[in-house]
Amino acid sequence: MQGPEDDAGLAGKVALISGGGAAGDGIGNGRAAAILLARAGAKVLVADRDLKLAERTVEMIAAEGGTAAAHGGDVTSETDCKTLVEAALDRWGRLDFLDNNVGIGSRGSVVDEAPEQYRRVMQVNVETMFLLSKHAIPAMIKTARGGAIVNISSISALRPRGLTSYTTSKAAIIGLTRAMAVDHGRDNIRVNCICPGPMYTPMVYARGMSEQARAQRANASVLKTEGTGWDVGHAVKFLLSNFARYITGQVLVVDGGVTLQAPERESQEH
Ligand SMILES: NC(=O)c1ccc[n+]([C@@H]2O[C@H](COP(=O)([O-])OP(=O)(O)OC[C@H]3O[C@@H](n4cnc5c(N)ncnc54)[C@H](O)[C@@H]3O)[C@@H](O)[C@H]2O)c1
């Protein structure tokens, strides 16, 4: 017999996903979350700096009979963040969920990287989450009496491979998540964080990746398997759902066990 504990609580709710587009028909972390939330009956505002990419996500959702709308917007702009939240409220009258998914990569040590690059990575990867949450949280409180937020970090925050700015920004997201969870628990808002490992998303393969590099990535996981955007999407869906109602301020690692292995061991064995 089914009880209320079997209800994911996603149907009829409204979700905002930043960076919810992806190149072509590829499955990025944000696009996967958008599609899975829509399949569960949520209405999804797909936001992306590149409107066409967001529109493609919406087409994919509409083709399955789901409800979604695309919106252009650069979440480094506070005005755009405010506009995105208002767009969700104007369209559907409420906001329940936020998937803070936007992030960019960077390479180089503290000596190699230019200060401007460091600032840019901190702005795109951390400040965008601060700004979008700043506008989403009051809307959640007002229109839904609570909600849930997921911030997308990376295993680089837990097991750095250099990548100074990226690692620093992704570690800051864990601190931001915990602070927000403490501050907004009383508002009935849960805030969690996901650390994806090496996922095969358009961001990764658009730069070009050899079969050998793919195999190496798969081998880095204890499951000897490559992750995809769907793996992150499912984790987002779970953390936003009622099934995670007693989980807040946590870091969920989605990496096939990559962080369980020391990098040295990897290079000895392969
Ligand atoms: N792919 C991986 O292996 C991996 C691993 C760990 C963490 N992550 C994180 O997952 C998240 C999504 O990764 P992905 O690989 O799906 O990404 P992606 O590069 O495909 O990005 C998704 C979308 O974000 C949009 N975007 C970028 N900057 C924006 C901005 N300022 N405002 C609005 N939209 C913007 C892009 O246009 C793109 O469509 C990122 O935070 C990334 O750091 C990815």
Side-chain angles (χ1 to χ4, degrees):
M1 218 177 75
Q2 292 223 324
E5 63 278 6
D6 295 303
D7 180 8
L10 297 169
K13 302 281 177 63
V14 176
L16 168 56
I17 301 195
S18 74
D25 283 348
I27 296 299
N29 296 335
R31 176 173 283 166
I35 292 173
L36 293 172
L37 288 168
R39 279 181 194 165
K43 298 163 192 162
V44 187
L45 191 79
V46 182
D48 205 288
R49 190 174 51 182
D50 186 334
L51 178 61
K52 284 208 161 45
L53 303 184
E55 284 172 345
R56 183 63 198 127
T57 303
V58 169
E59 279 169 21
M60 291 165 94
I61 291 172
E64 298 182 354
T67 306
H71 211 292
D74 182 338
V75 286
T76 60
S77 150
E78 184 174 3
T79 308
D80 283 12
C81 289
K82 190 165 176 277
T83 304
L84 289 172
V85 170
E86 284 166 359
L89 298 183
D90 287 349
R91 189 172 280 268
W92 294 305
R94 60 186 291 150
L95 183 65
D96 300 271
F97 306 129
L98 170 63
D99 177 11
N100 266 323
N101 170 71
V102 160
I104 54 171
S106 78
R107 284 181 188 282
S109 71
V110 73
V111 174
D112 304 327
E113 275 202 296
E116 301 74 44
Q117 172 67 4
Y118 173 82
R119 288 189 202 109
R120 177 72 186 154
V121 172
M122 293 301 285
Q123 180 192 25
V124 175
N125 292 5
V126 190
E127 194 180 306
T128 57
M129 298 192 182
F130 172 91
L131 292 176
L132 203 46
S133 304
K134 182 179 219 26
H135 291 279
I137 288 170
M140 287 175 178
I141 295 170
K142 195 168 167 204
T143 64
R145 288 201 212 128
I149 299 174
V150 172
N151 297 325
I152 305 298
S153 174
S154 162
I155 58 167
S156 292
L158 308 173
R159 198 192 73 175
R161 296 159 295 145
L163 314 176
T164 305
S165 301
Y166 186 72
T167 295
T168 307
S169 69
K170 293 299 189 179
I173 290 168
I174 296 177
L176 177 70
T177 299
R178 291 180 172 154
M180 284 167 60
V182 169
D183 284 338
H184 298 290
R186 69 177 74 94
D187 298 319
N188 193 30
I189 293 175
R190 296 180 301 99
V191 188
N192 290 291
C193 168
I194 293 173
C195 288
M199 321 308 285
Y200 196 60
T201 65
M203 173 178 95
V204 173
Y205 57 71
R207 290 197 296 257
M209 182 172 283
S210 66
E211 283 307 310
Q212 194 194 1
R214 280 188 81 178
Q216 250 173 9
R217 280 160 62 98
N219 265 327
S221 104
V222 298
L223 300 173
K224 304 295 173 210
T225 301
E226 184 175 56
T228 73
W230 294 117
D231 298 309
V232 176
H234 279 293
V236 170
K237 180 182 155 190
F238 165 68
L239 287 172
L240 295 179
S241 79
N242 269 351
F243 298 141
R245 65 179 277 275
Y246 205 46
I247 301 175
T248 196
Q250 298 306 304
V251 176
L252 179 57
V253 179
V254 179
D255 75 342
V258 170
T259 44
L260 299 176
Q261 307 201 102
E264 302 73 38
R265 188 181 156 95
E266 230 170 81
S267 56
Q268 276 163 17
E269 286 183 355
H270 303 291

